[in-house]
Amino acid sequence: MYLENSENSQAHNTNQIITKKPLTGGYGGVEDRSTWVSLKLSSKYLQWAQLSFNPVVTFVSLAVILAFVLWAMLLPDQANTEFAHWKSWIGLNFTWLYIGSQDAWAVFILFVYFSKYSNIKLGPDDSQPEYNDASWFSMLFACGVSTGLFFYGVAEPLYHYIGPNRYTADPTLPDNKLAQEAINVTLYHWGLHGWVVYTIVGLILALMAHREGLPLTMKSCFYPLIGDKIFGWPGDLVDILSVIATLFGVCTSLGLGTMQINEGLHLMNSDIPVSTESQLVIIWSITAVATGSVLTGVKYGIRRISEVCFCFGLALMLCVLFLDNTVYLLNLYVQSMGYYFQWLLQIGFHSDAFEQLGPSAGAEDRGRFVPEGFVTTDGPSGWMNSWTIFYWGWWIAWCPFVGMFIAKISVGRTIKEFIAGTMAAPVIYVFMWMIIFGGAGLRMEREAAQNNLCCHNIDMGRVFNLSMNGPSNLISLDDGLCATKDCNSCSNNLLTKTIGDGMTYEDLKKETEMFGKPEWWGKTTVSRNLTRLSCRKTEEMWFDMMMSYGDLGNFLSAFSLVSLILYFVTSSDSGSLVIDCLASNGHPEPPKLQRLIWALIEGLTATALLVAGGKQALTALQAMSIATGLIYTILMCVACLALWRALQVQAGDLDPNGPSFDVDLLDPFFTDPFDQVVSRFSSTSKLFLQFIINLVLTPLTVAKTASRVICVSTFWPVLISLTIFLFMFVFFHLLQLAVEGAWALAWIAYIAFGSGVSIVRTRARNHLNIPGHPIEDLCLSLLLYSSVALQMEISTREGKTQQQLNDQNGEEKINKAFSYSMDSVPAIVISSKASP
């Protein structure tokens, strides 16, 4: 056995690690400087026992995953409460960011689709798609939606139809209009705004991996902005977050979805209990099939299972279309598509601004109409966080997983084909699914209500006891028949009817025995052709819908279970493959032992959470995964800038080797590839020390730069104004201890300070002929003003020529920067002779 450790992937047996792709992109070739550990047993009988991975990403990810899982297992209530608090806090404070960013991304990707860059190929110019259109779409669709189609296909429109929201709060809204709004909100959650997340991540990854030969991992998204620093700790941090979000997302979906499968099996066969033991059998059955699939790779296992589950889902959808009220569903599809596009802008930008303020007051004083029995006509304050923000957080948390997988299978396609395949086609299909199943569910709910089916709270155990003790006794409302102290209106109506019919407790017992379960009485018909879905659990609604189709009910339920399991397998196997790629620096074919290990880790994590903490632990981990969506929302905005810059480079509109600053903004933070950190430690330490000094002395540094790139007379105005703003920022924060609200003045001063720095940076860029944008300058100046000041100071120092700026790179750039004397301000930049 031998262990191989290398900081440079080119320094060891690369054909064991990664096969270099032909470089066709505008960056002219990128050397993979990722950290590797390779483990191979020398015995010919143990050749299968190979490992090849990034130790930093792998071990840190596993440590964080283990810590969170142990917390959720040992203290499920506390973990659930804490994670739910994080999720709620993010939703309440960043609704504007989630809603606004999704809209901005949709506009951005639409612009890319119609731009001149849309004909760029994701791979060599002569490359062809690896998979046909049908296989490609099946895989990306099955990976992208997982089992959510089954879990929410019937349930979500119904919840929007009956649950508290801004539509149901309006008592004057016609019921048909309410039903249409329920469908429209569902389409919004599953439409363009959701899929755009996968499209952006998949597009930039495919561009950088298939055209530039970069590793197929999330860190490669940011190469256009930070270059080789993706091979240092910033890139590893991005991949660590991606591994955690992917594993948590897949595991919670596996655990929670297992409960739905268990409910379906129990409804079909009451001998199969809804229990932890049953759910463990389901988890490991799915894990076993998924492990076999991931071991065979994308071309065989994952591809074929995706094709089968897609065909099964299509067949199921067509069955419901034909067996249900076909004309109604076709009308609803056409109507809903028009309604969606008509109200897309309004619903896409709606953020429940007034609802989140809390209940309004004074409506009657203003002459507003409040119907009798209504305290308010406001929507609930928590609806946006429970639904839309939940969805956007979930879509975004899954973007590393789904985006990477889509990028992996999309080599050879043009950008236009990629966007159409990941935006238009999935949305059209998902809309068909949600409208057909959701529309059928709404129809059943309304017809069930017309047939007096309702959600009673009668205690059937009490009824059975009374039938044993006094079978001939007439039913009476005075016998305490309801589970709670008071019977609800539904229970009163049902019991009043039985009393009017002169029924005894024995008669009622016999009538309830005609149903699969006694508690179904009054909620569904004996034939199951109608069920009041609002009385059922989310996991049961789908199967209640299937059972309504007469003799085919059992078949469709079983067929749904098979399809559901296949979709689970597809998510699990593609998730295992993506995690393995993340942990192994984008290895195109990770060792099979590694694939097995990560597949088992998924199953073990879901099992541990289910056994120790049940649904609470799984929900806690799900909330944690969604909370990471806030980080990825920010990273996605940065990725859009990276994508645009990469497209400009690919088209030749931007020269990646053109003029640039001598020092990168991240240079002071030891962000070089790990094999260079030690060799550059001395110079980087000096940069870090200067960064610390400039936290205080930035006004002086920026003033010196302004005097060089604007005019000498700007030195004192810039110095005085920036010093005042920086002082005010600190002063007003201290004043907050005595004066409430002073912090707002502090941040106004800081924005003014950052704006001043950004103006000088823009002038410095123009002076050095460096491409960029003032908005970019402003964002960087607000985020890293000290680095910006240091960068401008070194790059604009007197005596430097443009040729020197172009020739400097890497360590030479930094060392040369220190070799120049610092005229009159030695405190800002430390002058030192660096070793050659």
Side-chain angles (χ1 to χ4, degrees), residues 121-367:
K121 272 203 172 182
L122 302 177
D125 292 333
D126 59 350
S127 62
Q128 296 298 319
E130 190 174 1
Y131 305 99
N132 61 56
D133 291 344
S135 296
W136 180 63
F137 177 72
S138 297
M139 286 190 286
L140 74 87
F141 183 79
C143 174
V145 298
S146 185
T147 56
L149 292 177
F150 294 87
F151 198 78
Y152 290 110
V154 174
E156 183 174 351
L158 188 67
Y159 280 132
H160 298 322
Y161 180 62
I162 65 171
N165 54 58
R166 63 181 181 272
Y167 304 110
T168 57
D170 181 3
T172 64
L173 189 68
D175 199 69
N176 290 341
K177 176 77 170 175
L178 179 59
Q180 185 61 68
E181 294 289 0
I183 290 289
N184 195 50
V185 173
T186 304
L187 299 186
Y188 169 53
H189 290 158
W190 289 85
L192 296 171
H193 289 76
W195 283 90
V196 71
V197 180
Y198 298 162
T199 301
I200 291 175
V201 174
L203 181 56
I204 188 170
L205 275 176
L207 195 66
M208 301 312 296
H210 300 318
R211 284 191 72 87
E212 299 293 345
L214 281 165
L216 188 62
T217 67
M218 283 296 293
K219 65 186 178 187
S220 296
C221 291
F222 305 99
Y223 183 84
L225 298 179
I226 64 174
D228 284 348
K229 288 176 175 50
I230 66 168
F231 302 120
W233 66 260
D236 284 348
L237 179 61
V238 171
D239 283 348
I240 289 167
L241 290 172
S242 302
V243 169
I244 294 169
T246 300
L247 187 75
F248 285 175
V250 172
C251 287
T252 51
S253 292
L254 180 62
L256 294 173
T258 293
M259 296 179 181
Q260 185 179 24
I261 295 175
N262 195 183
E263 290 283 356
L265 290 171
H266 178 69
L267 288 174
M268 293 181 61
N269 185 350
S270 58
D271 292 333
I272 300 176
V274 178
S275 64
T276 301
E277 290 75 16
S278 300
Q279 290 159 11
L280 290 180
V281 172
I282 296 169
I283 283 178
W284 283 103
S285 298
I286 292 173
T287 301
V289 178
T291 301
S293 173
V294 77
L295 288 176
T296 57
V298 176
K299 292 185 179 180
Y300 300 102
I302 295 177
R303 175 185 180 180
R304 298 308 178 193
I305 291 179
S306 297
E307 291 172 346
V308 170
C309 73
F310 178 79
C311 291
F312 276 23
L314 180 61
L316 194 60
M317 183 171 63
L318 292 176
C319 281
V320 172
L321 175 63
F322 296 144
L323 292 173
D324 209 279
N325 189 330
T326 305
V327 174
Y328 152 72
L329 292 176
L330 292 175
N331 285 337
L332 183 61
Y333 184 81
V334 174
Q335 176 176 300
S336 298
M337 291 295 286
Y339 201 88
Y340 172 76
F341 287 107
Q342 178 187 359
W343 294 102
L344 182 59
L345 279 178
Q346 190 275 333
I347 195 173
F349 284 88
H350 187 87
S351 57
D352 264 7
F354 292 107
E355 285 81 358
Q356 290 189 1
L357 285 176
S360 63
E364 294 182 353
D365 297 340
R366 295 187 295 273

Side-chain angles (χ1 to χ4, degrees), residues 358-376:
S360 63
E364 294 182 353
D365 297 340
R366 295 187 295 273
R368 302 292 297 168
F369 172 71
V370 178
E372 185 178 352
F374 282 78
V375 177
T376 179

Side-chain angles (χ1 to χ4, degrees), residues 93 206 276 415 443 483 605 664 698 713:
N93 290 280
T276 301
I415 289 177
R443 174 201 56 77
T605 302
D664 292 329
T698 284
S713 62

Side-chain angles (χ1 to χ4, degrees), residues 639-752:
C640 288
L641 175 61
L643 173 57
W644 186 249
R645 188 162 293 180
L647 292 174
Q648 289 179 306
V649 171
Q650 301 300 330
D653 294 341
L654 180 65
D655 182 6
N657 299 313
S660 63
F661 287 106
D662 285 1
V663 179
D664 292 329
L665 292 176
L666 297 180
D667 275 343
F669 307 113
F670 301 91
T671 54
D672 294 307
F674 288 109
D675 62 327
Q676 298 176 356
V677 169
V678 175
S679 62
R680 296 182 178 180
F681 184 81
S682 176
S683 57
T684 305
S685 298
K686 295 169 187 174
L687 281 178
F688 180 72
L689 180 58
Q690 293 174 76
F691 171 84
I692 298 299
I693 293 172
N694 272 282
L695 289 173
V696 177
L697 296 182
T698 284
L700 183 56
T701 307
V702 175
K704 284 176 58 62
T705 301
S707 68
R708 294 170 188 156
V709 301
I710 304 176
C711 65
V712 176
S713 62
T714 61
F715 177 84
W716 286 108
V718 171
L719 175 62
I720 294 172
S721 60
L722 292 184
T723 301
I724 291 174
F725 288 136
L726 189 58
F727 172 77
M728 290 172 63
F729 174 66
V730 177
F731 173 75
F732 283 125
H733 268 303
L734 295 175
L735 190 62
Q736 173 68 24
L737 299 174
V739 180
E740 183 67 28
W743 64 269
L745 298 176
W747 284 104
I748 291 173
Y750 183 78
I751 292 173

